[in-house]
Amino acid sequence: LWISLNGQQFTPTETATAPLNFSVFDAVSVSALSPTTGPALGDALVTLTLSELAAPANHTCRFAFSHATHGGPIVVLASVAAGAAGGPAVSCRAPALSPRELSFPKVPVEYSLNGQQYTSSGREFTYFGPAALASCSPSSGPAAGGTRVTVRGTDLWGMGSERLCSFGALRAPASKAANVDELVCATPPVAAPLGAAGLPALVPLRIALNGQQFGPPLAYEFELYEEVLISAISPASGPA
């Protein structure tokens, strides 16, 4: 990159330091987002899969409402720095969405190599409100795992993309139940015996709707207990 003050002589001269370099990249597109949803409070780590990744570059993500959504100019929620995520991909944190903007929960996410010109791929990130947990059944199970727990609440199957249950530090995938306000997850096995390494017998039960961020726990905790073994019965017989 050379500069001229009169349209003739450019600086630096041949004896000066080397010029600054300006790089030109091929057009880039966004092929996928993961996760595709996140809470209105923001902070979801969103990975954008790109057609190619140029480095070094001023990687930037833009979360912005489209013209068609608002009937006006683009409303930019945030332009946030992105970091390389391995392969042709970058990751960035989703900004928060205000309660007023939650009525327009689908937000296109675009990528820029220089913080100015963005892609127009149209991949959408969907925001959701908090899910409220009401109860679970059963409320206890053996530490060996395998208990099918039905969780009841509101907004469990609205805008989410990947639902998980957490029993303390342990996670398990969730599936749909017969009722729209329910989901089912099987308790994972506890590796250490109860009481070892400070492991509690009562653990909080939480739900994530995007595979990342877990909401507030259920009002009461889920109980884990050691497997019960029957060593004897008395009497061993009785009348028919």
Side-chain angles (χ1 to χ4, degrees):
L1 176 63
W2 305 86
I3 300 296
S4 173
L5 299 180
N6 65 355
Q8 295 184 20
Q9 289 87 4
F10 287 82
T11 185
T13 64
E14 293 180 359
T15 58
T17 57
L20 297 173
N21 292 321
F22 182 83
S23 299
V24 178
F25 299 111
D26 292 332
V28 178
S29 62
V30 180
S31 60
L33 303 179
S34 180
T36 57
T37 62
L41 294 176
D43 206 38
L45 184 61
V46 183
T47 298
L48 287 68
T49 301
L50 308 174
S51 56
E52 61 180 291
L53 181 63
N58 182 17
H59 304 296
T60 309
C61 298
R62 184 182 69 183
F63 292 74
F65 291 111
S66 65
H67 177 92
T69 301
H70 277 265
I74 288 178
V75 179
V76 178
L77 282 179
S79 295
V80 294
V90 295
S91 294
C92 50
R93 294 284 179 185
L97 194 69
S98 72
R100 183 184 69 84
E101 293 165 332
L102 194 54
S103 57
F104 303 97
K106 294 182 180 295
V107 178
V109 182
E110 304 295 352
Y111 167 75
S112 173
L113 286 163
N114 63 0
Q116 292 186 28
Q117 285 86 19
Y118 286 85
T119 58
S120 56
S121 303
R123 303 295 176 182
E124 290 184 324
F125 183 82
T126 303
Y127 284 93
F128 53 75
L133 303 184
S135 64
C136 73
S137 179
S139 59
S140 62
T147 302
R148 285 177 53 84
V149 180
T150 300
V151 182
R152 300 176 181 85
T154 56
D155 296 325
L156 300 181
W157 293 100
M159 298 292 187
S161 54
E162 181 185 359
R163 290 156 184 84
L164 296 177
C165 297
S166 73
F167 298 85
L170 303 175
R171 299 184 176 187
S175 58
K176 264 190 174 181
N179 193 310
V180 70
D181 293 326
E182 297 178 348
L183 55 79
V184 177
C185 45
T187 58
V190 177
L194 295 180
L199 183 68
L202 295 174
V203 295
L205 172 57
R206 292 182 170 90
I207 299 296
L209 301 182
N210 68 345
Q212 284 188 19
Q213 293 142 298
F214 288 85
L218 189 65
Y220 54 90
E221 293 179 304
F222 187 85
E223 182 180 1
L224 295 170
Y225 53 81
E226 295 285 9
E227 183 179 7
V228 177
L229 300 176
I230 299 175
S231 60
I233 59 173
S234 178
S237 62

